[in-house]
Amino acid sequence: MENQLLTVFVGIIALCSIFITTMIIIVALHALKTMQQIHEFVTHIQNELSFLSTKTALTLHEVNELLLHLKDETKSISDKSKLSLNELHNLISFIHDETKTLALKASNGIAKVTIGSLAIGALSQILKKKNKE
């Protein structure tokens, strides 16, 4: 009787171990899928941020160049108009400098996100290897 009871308990423990192992594998697979989706999302965001920061910097540079050209063309404008144009040029130059600063900050953020995505990728590879073993 004691051997049968011991066999039943060992069987229950074995079934619980199989169930727990199965749940760990399922959770690991879902984590891998999520990590891959996060990696794809981060890559997409990184590309979009790079494009937007570059486009913004180019646009502001073109506006700055246009203002310089207009400043040269308007020598005959009154002093008050020149002063306003100069203030506008200074404002655009300030915005241009701030945009460059923001673009650099965005680039730093992109670098940090890239490092994070690489870490997630490495963790994904580790979990894949552990699941195969």
Side-chain angles (χ1 to χ4, degrees), residues 49-62:
L49 282 174
S50 295
F51 173 77
L52 287 175
S53 63
T54 302
K55 189 72 173 172
T56 302
L58 288 174
T59 302
L60 286 175
H61 180 72
E62 289 174 1

Side-chain angles (χ1 to χ4, degrees), residues 28 31-36 38-39 115-131:
L32 287 174
K33 288 179 184 178
T34 303
M35 285 182 203
Q36 287 174 343
I38 288 171
H39 179 70
I115 290 169
S117 67
L118 290 175
I120 290 172
L123 181 60
S124 172
Q125 291 298 323
I126 290 170
L127 289 175
K128 279 184 183 179
K129 287 180 181 177
K130 287 188 177 183
N131 284 340

Side-chain angles (χ1 to χ4, degrees), residues 63-98:
V63 168
N64 195 23
E65 292 295 323
L66 176 63
L67 287 175
L68 285 174
H69 177 71
L70 287 175
K71 186 177 180 181
D72 293 337
E73 294 294 322
T74 57
K75 298 248 185 224
S76 62
I77 298 176
S78 69
D79 289 337
K80 191 172 185 180
S81 296
K82 286 182 180 180
L83 181 62
S84 297
L85 186 59
N86 190 25
E87 288 176 0
L88 181 61
H89 176 263
N90 290 339
L91 179 62
I92 294 297
S93 294
F94 173 75
I95 292 172
H96 183 252
D97 293 338
E98 288 299 318

Side-chain angles (χ1 to χ4, degrees), residues 40 44 60:
E40 291 171 5
H44 177 72
L60 286 175

Side-chain angles (χ1 to χ4, degrees), residues 3 11 21 23 29 37 42 51 72 75 111 121 123 131 133:
N3 283 342
T21 304
M23 292 307 294
L29 290 175
Q37 291 173 348
V42 166
F51 173 77
D72 293 337
K75 298 248 185 224
L123 181 60
N131 284 340
E133 292 175 0

